[in-house]
């Protein structure tokens, strides 16, 4: 008897779950869309894709049963609204831009827009396009992500009005043809988590406001531009920063000691600049560093002032062609996670620490083009493990006849070498996600979970 009652209860609950799911689907699919917003969407897509695109016939219900690839929608106050727009050949059936694509003022008519992206849309050398210089304040209440990637036909400067997007969390302007100075007003975007301005023609100095005001920034990438001047000491105030890439610019001067305050930084890439005056003494305070890339800078100085043993997370160290002199310190063999070590094309002298071969993860070692001396005491197994990723040529004072005694005592570092400190570690912040969904959908899920719990209780 009880078995029959349980079956009836399960059947009833299954019907209720199905009814709730169907009701939610019907409510969303039949939710109306403002006619003005729908027409603005069709016209905006035509300006980018081409006049041949007939949205009213192809997609009569763009947020419902005839959704458009690259267009995201959500329900607000019982009506569909556009929340995301992505243009460019990203996926199959994506909205690919035409050669004469242009940005329409209709772009600013979507009051609930959260994400706006253009990938390879403006590529024509004959039809140039610029980022609109006004009306960005219309999207300020909602826009969180703005991206222009791989648009060689996108020219001009970053308009200061773009900094009115006070809720922006990701600003990506990568591999375009933008130029000019970076606006000081970038510091107004205080909620930014990612600022990527790589691969354009930006010039002038890095605004100090980026370091002093963007305290929530996780990723800062301004590589492959024409930036000049020195590195602002205010960058050391970005306590949450994980990645700092300023490679391939014309930056110069000393590396500020304030960089040592970046306790969460995992990548520091300053390759291909004109930095000088040696390594900063506070370098070993960046205890979360995994990749330190400083090659092709006239840094000068030596390796002795850095307590390398404190950089316990370091896996990549590239100091090639940095005009370094002096010896390779014994403390560098304390970096147990080191995988890639490049010290080539410098003026290093003395002997190579034989314990480098004992680093368990080391797979690449470049020491060529120096003045190192002595007989290398690396085993055949080490040479097999390195293969072509080991280079020692171009050291004229190194020969089989010479042999340098290595210090066997860990406490005897030699003149100028830093004292080995206790290992330190620091947790790295994870990137945040910001999901968006309608209240009705979440309510349906909650009702279904409640019904399942009731069914389990009745079956006990």
């Amino acid at each position: 008897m009880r078995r029959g009652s349980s079956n009836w209860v399960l059947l009833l609950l299954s019907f209720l779950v199905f009814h709730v799911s169907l009701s939610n689907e019907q409510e969303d699919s039949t939710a109306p869309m403002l006619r003005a917003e729908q027409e603005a969407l069709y016209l905006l897509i035509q300006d980018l894709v081409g006049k041949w695109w007939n949205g009213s016939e192809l997609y009569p219900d763009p947020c419902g049963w005839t959704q458009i690839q690259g267009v995201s929608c959500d329900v607000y106050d019982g009506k569909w609204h556009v929340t995301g727009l992505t243009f460019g050949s990203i996926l199959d059936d994506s909205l690919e831009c035409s050669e004469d694509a242009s940005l329409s003022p209709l772009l600013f008519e979507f009051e609930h827009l959260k994400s706006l992206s253009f990938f390879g849309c403006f590529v024509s050398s004959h039809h140039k396009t610029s980022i609109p210089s006004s009306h960005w304040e219309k999207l300020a209440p909602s826009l969180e992500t703005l991206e222009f990637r791989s648009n060689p036909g996108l020219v001009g400067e970053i308009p200061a009005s773009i900094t009115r997007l006070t809720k922006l969390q990701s600003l990506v302007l990568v591999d375009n043809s933008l130029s000019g100075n970076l606006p000081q007003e970038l510091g107004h975007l205080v909620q930014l988590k990612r600022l990527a301005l790589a691969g354009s023609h930006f010039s002038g100095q890095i605004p100090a406001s980026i370091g002093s005001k963007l305290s929530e920034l996780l990723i800062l990438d301004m590589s492959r531009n024409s930036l000049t001047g020195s590195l602002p000491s205010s960058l050391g105030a970005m306590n949450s920063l994980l990645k700092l890439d300023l490679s391939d610019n014309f930056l110069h001067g000393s590396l500020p000691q304030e960089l040592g305050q970046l306790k969460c930084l995992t990548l520091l890439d300053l390759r291909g600049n004109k930095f000088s005056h040696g390594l900063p003494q506070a370098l070993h305070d960046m205890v979360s560093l995994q990749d330190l890339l400083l090659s092709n800078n006239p840094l000068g100085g030596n390796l002795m002032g850095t307590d390398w043993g404190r950089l316990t997370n370091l896996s990549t160290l590239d100091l090639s062609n940095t005009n370094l002199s002096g010896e390779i310190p014994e403390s560098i063999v304390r970096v147990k996670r080191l995988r890639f070590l490049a010290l080539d094309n410098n003026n290093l002298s003395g002997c190579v620490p034989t314990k480098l071969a004992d680093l368990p993860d080391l797979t690449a070692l470049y020491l060529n083009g120096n003045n190192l001396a002595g007989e290398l005491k690396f085993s055949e197994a080490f040479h097999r493990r390195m293969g072509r990723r080991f280079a020692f040529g171009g050291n004229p004072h190194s020969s089989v006849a010479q042999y340098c005694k290595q210090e066997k005592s860990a406490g005897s570092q030699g003149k100028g070498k830093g004292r080995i400190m206790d290992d330190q570690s620091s947790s790295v912040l994870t990137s945040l996600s910001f999901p968006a969904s309608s209240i009705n959908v979440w309510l349906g899920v909650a009702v279904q979970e409640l019904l399942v719990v009731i069914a389990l209780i009745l079956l006990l």
Side-chain angles (χ1 to χ4, degrees), residues 172-194:
V172 177
L173 308 176
V174 172
D175 293 330
N176 303 296
S177 295
L178 298 170
S179 58
N181 293 343
L182 300 177
Q184 287 286 342
E185 293 85 351
L186 285 173
H188 296 168
L189 301 174
V190 294
Q191 294 193 35
L192 272 185
K193 304 292 187 298
R194 174 174 59 171

Side-chain angles (χ1 to χ4, degrees), residues 43-150:
L43 292 174
L44 173 66
I45 295 176
Q46 277 190 339
D47 287 339
L48 290 163
V49 175
K51 300 301 180 183
W52 60 268
W53 192 86
N54 192 336
S56 59
E57 292 185 3
L58 295 172
Y59 305 97
D61 188 11
C63 288
W65 60 278
T66 58
Q67 295 182 9
I68 305 173
Q69 181 72 266
V71 178
S72 302
C73 303
D74 210 338
V75 176
Y76 293 88
D77 298 325
K79 291 182 174 60
W80 280 118
H81 291 279
V82 176
T83 57
L85 291 171
T86 300
F87 298 97
S89 53
I90 309 292
L91 303 171
D92 293 338
D93 300 324
S94 295
L95 294 169
E96 296 190 26
C97 298
S98 63
E99 288 189 4
D100 58 348
S102 61
L103 289 171
S104 169
L106 293 170
L107 182 66
F108 304 102
E109 298 302 318
F110 304 99
E111 59 181 10
H112 294 283
L113 193 64
K114 292 185 176 182
S115 177
L116 178 61
S117 302
F118 299 91
F119 296 85
C121 267
F122 313 109
V123 298
S124 174
S125 58
H126 305 291
H127 185 75
K128 305 291 186 181
T129 304
S130 299
I131 298 176
S133 59
S134 59
H135 303 304
W136 288 105
E137 67 277 1
K138 292 184 177 181
L139 301 179
S142 59
L143 197 65
E144 297 175 353
T145 298
L146 178 61
E147 297 192 15
F148 287 86
R149 291 179 182 267
S150 303

Side-chain angles (χ1 to χ4, degrees), residues 4-58:
S5 299
S6 299
N7 290 336
W8 278 107
V9 170
L10 285 175
L11 181 61
L12 177 61
L13 289 173
S14 298
F15 174 77
L16 290 174
V17 170
F18 174 76
H19 178 72
V20 171
S21 301
L22 184 61
S23 298
N24 284 333
E25 290 178 4
Q26 288 178 344
E27 185 177 355
D28 285 348
S29 62
T30 59
M33 185 177 186
L34 293 175
R35 187 66 181 174
E37 185 168 347
Q38 187 171 348
E39 290 296 331
L41 178 62
Y42 291 153
L43 292 174
L44 173 66
I45 295 176
Q46 277 190 339
D47 287 339
L48 290 163
V49 175
K51 300 301 180 183
W52 60 268
W53 192 86
N54 192 336
S56 59
E57 292 185 3
L58 295 172

Side-chain angles (χ1 to χ4, degrees), residues 251-286:
L251 300 168
H252 59 80
S254 303
L255 298 179
Q257 296 293 336
E258 287 80 1
L259 289 178
Q261 300 172 17
L262 302 176
K263 305 297 184 182
C264 294
L265 197 70
T266 62
L267 180 141
L268 177 60
D269 191 349
L270 302 177
R271 292 174 294 178
N273 282 285
K274 297 182 179 181
F275 291 115
S276 56
H277 299 92
L279 298 172
Q281 196 169 18
L283 181 65
H284 49 228
D285 292 331
M286 305 168 72

Side-chain angles (χ1 to χ4, degrees), residues 352 354-355 357 374-379 382-383 403-404 406:
V352 178
T354 57
K355 290 184 179 180
E375 181 183 11
L376 293 180
K377 291 291 185 178
F378 295 154
S379 65
F382 173 81
H383 286 283
Y403 176 71
C404 296
Q406 303 291 339

Side-chain angles (χ1 to χ4, degrees), residues 17 20 25 69 105 118 132 140 153 168 207 214 254 282 286 311 334 350 383 409 412 419 428 443 453 458:
V17 170
V20 171
E25 290 178 4
Q69 181 72 266
F118 299 91
L168 206 62
L214 303 186
S254 303
M286 305 168 72
L311 298 177
R334 292 294 189 93
H383 286 283
S409 172
S412 177
R419 182 170 59 87
V428 177
L443 181 59
V453 171
L458 290 174

Side-chain angles (χ1 to χ4, degrees), residues 284-285 287 307-313 421-424:
H284 49 228
D285 292 331
V287 292
D307 195 350
W308 297 99
R310 295 174 63 178
L311 298 177
T312 58
N313 295 295
M421 305 294 289
D422 293 336
D423 290 345
Q424 298 185 23

